[in-house]
Amino acid sequence: MLLRRWTLAAAGTTPHAAVATLTTGCKLLPHRTLSSSSKPFTLEPLRDHRSFVRVHGTDSVSFLQGLMTNDMRHLEHSRSLYAMFLRVNGRVFCDALIYRHPAAPVAGTTDGGDFLLECDRAVAPRLEKHLKLYRLRKKVQVLAEETYQAWVAFVPDSEGERPVVTLDGITTGDRPDEERVQLYKDPRLPRLGYRVLIRDDTQAASMDRLLRLVPGVIATDRPQYTPFRYSLGVGEGETNLPDGKCFPLECNGDFLHGVSFQKGCYIGQELTARTYHTGVIRKRLMPVQFTGGPSQALEGIAPEVLREAEIKTEDGAVVGKLRGYQGGHGLALLRVEKVLTGSTLTLTVLGIPGTIPCRTKKPFWWPNELNARS
């Protein structure tokens, strides 16, 4: 695997002129900040896929509180949270990771705030427009944020019984590390690692600083994070959560700490609350494993085509649809009670002859007891 190690350019050059030294194999920095495991972190840029919308102003907390599924009060003792924005009919508009802006105060959000909303790059203009539509007379500014770019730091191991690798000596929950490198624990699952925000105008120096903080390697030859996320059964972005075609609990928003059932009203709340309290959640996003062979034909197929690909049982009953595929791992919206029997499933894709065998399993991070009818 080809990996990239960043170093600073010679004195007098700008950060953007920094030299990237290519190596092969796992070139590691001293892992004195690793705990509970000798495995290195994998660092991967998300700039081509993720973007930011900034919301700040006196009324920003109450403004976002009425538009999303999670409770903004969590940010009084944390720097990040996961949430979804819904349509009026309760279907998902988009999901987002919400961070306290690096320049914002450490604690206390009741007097206003400054937040960065990380979402799919393709969704960001629509999210900005969506937020501005509901701004009305509130003292809030909504704008695209191009100052930072997103990275992810994770250990590619999907086994639930393995210890979670953490960073010692780096505070991510109470204060930012420094202005140009921001580390945020992923609020969904510890296994998803850390989100990293890097100032775009100091990228080379920031990368040098990041590799001192997070011992690991930078993957450059092929993406690893998306297949890893699929192996866990975690959906993210427009591909996995298509606008207007899924519900927040079907996307495991309740299991991923993205939906609050104690907060007040928000757009789409009525159906979400009713579904939760009745306990009828028949379909959920689940990981799908493909084992070589015909599955390679799925590489490069457009997401809108994959979304119509049906997954069936051995007797031909349709039990769900594919919501994403990469590197032998997939994500599918499946009827839970129909697929946890251990039987082989098959995928049918328009334009690919025959069927593709696959299988699924209950993610380790789901609760032991699901609702009675799911």
Side-chain angles (χ1 to χ4, degrees):
M1 180 176 66
L2 183 64
L3 303 168
R4 187 184 299 261
R5 167 85 180 274
W6 289 80
T7 58
L8 288 177
T13 59
T14 63
H16 289 288
V19 177
T21 302
L22 295 179
T23 62
T24 57
C26 290
K27 179 68 174 177
L28 306 180
L29 295 178
H31 37 274
R32 60 183 179 275
T33 56
L34 278 176
S35 69
S36 74
S37 173
S38 60
K39 284 196 171 186
F41 281 85
T42 294
L43 304 172
E44 186 172 316
L46 302 177
R47 180 172 185 170
D48 293 339
H49 308 288
R50 307 291 285 179
S51 189
F52 298 97
V53 175
R54 183 180 181 183
V55 178
H56 66 99
T58 305
D59 297 330
S60 58
V61 173
S62 61
F63 171 68
L64 290 171
Q65 185 80 331
L67 294 176
M68 67 183 202
T69 57
N70 214 334
D71 195 333
M72 287 293 292
R73 289 174 295 185
H74 293 319
L75 289 174
E76 294 178 6
H77 51 78
S78 175
R79 295 178 61 229
S80 63
L81 62 79
Y82 178 60
M84 298 178 183
F85 293 87
L86 308 182
R87 297 289 186 182
V88 292
N89 60 3
R91 294 179 181 269
V92 174
F93 170 67
C94 74
D95 67 326
L97 291 167
I98 302 175
Y99 311 113
R100 294 187 59 79
H101 194 283
V106 172
T109 61
T110 56
D111 295 329
D114 195 345
F115 307 99
L116 292 178
L117 281 57
E118 180 199 315
C119 61
D120 261 14
R121 179 167 289 274
V123 171
R126 301 206 309 268
L127 177 58
E128 182 183 353
K129 182 178 179 180
H130 177 79
L131 295 175
K132 287 180 176 179
L133 180 66
Y134 291 97
R135 185 174 53 182
L136 301 176
R137 296 180 180 275
K138 288 186 176 293
K139 297 177 181 178
V140 173
Q141 295 295 320
V142 179
L143 65 158
E145 174 62 76
E146 301 292 342
T147 304
Y148 297 90
Q149 58 175 280
W151 285 64
V152 62
F154 66 103
V155 177
D157 184 353
S158 60
E159 296 298 324
E161 64 272 14
R162 302 287 177 86
V164 178
V165 180
T166 58
L167 293 167
D168 292 332
I170 299 178
T171 304
T172 61
D174 300 324
R175 63 175 178 80
D177 173 64
E178 63 174 39
E179 185 180 359
R180 64 190 181 194
V181 178
Q182 300 294 321
L183 288 168
Y184 297 85
K185 288 181 181 178
D186 195 305
R188 295 169 294 181
L189 287 178
R191 190 67 62 191
L192 290 173
Y194 297 82
R195 275 304 210 268
V196 184
L197 273 60
I198 296 176
R199 286 186 62 92
D200 195 42
D201 57 348
T202 61
Q203 180 175 329
S206 296
M207 288 307 305
D208 188 74
R209 170 65 172 159
L210 175 61
L211 285 173
R212 290 199 300 270
L213 292 172
V214 184
V217 293
I218 300 178
T220 60
D221 61 339
R222 60 185 174 85
Q224 298 182 43
Y225 177 66
T226 297
F228 167 69
R229 181 166 54 77
Y230 285 175
S231 72
L232 296 177
V234 178
E236 178 180 284
E238 176 86 357
T239 298
N240 308 146
L241 285 66
D243 183 3
K245 294 186 178 181
C246 55
F247 295 97
L249 303 189
E250 291 180 344
C251 302
N252 301 316
D254 48 344
F255 296 165
L256 293 171
H257 316 292
V259 181
S260 172
F261 298 101
Q262 286 74 46
K263 63 176 286 186
C265 295
Y266 57 89
I267 293 176
Q269 183 241 8
E270 182 179 356
L271 180 60
T272 304
R274 184 166 68 246
T275 302
Y276 174 77
H277 290 296
T278 57
V280 183
I281 308 168
R282 298 185 177 89
K283 297 182 292 182
R284 285 187 180 271
L285 284 179
M286 299 180 66
V288 178
Q289 177 70 50
F290 297 88
T291 53
S295 67
Q296 296 177 358
L298 297 175
E299 299 287 354
I301 293 183
E304 56 270 18
V305 175
L306 289 180
R307 280 200 292 266
E308 300 304 318
E310 293 183 337
I311 295 179
K312 301 179 181 180
T313 59
E314 292 176 320
D315 59 6
V318 178
V319 291
K321 290 189 176 183
L322 195 63
R323 281 291 184 260
Y325 171 85
Q326 193 171 101
H329 294 278
L331 195 69
L333 186 63
L334 300 172
R335 290 188 173 273
V336 181
E337 63 179 5
K338 300 289 187 181
V339 300
L340 289 183
T341 60
S343 60
T344 301
L345 305 173
T346 59
L347 175 70
T348 304
V349 183
L350 183 65
I352 299 180
T355 59
I356 301 173
C358 58
R359 56 186 172 85
T360 188
K361 64 179 180 180
K362 178 182 174 181
F364 71 86
W365 46 272
W366 282 17
N368 292 329
E369 297 294 331
L370 302 177
N371 62 68
R373 299 184 64 180
S374 61

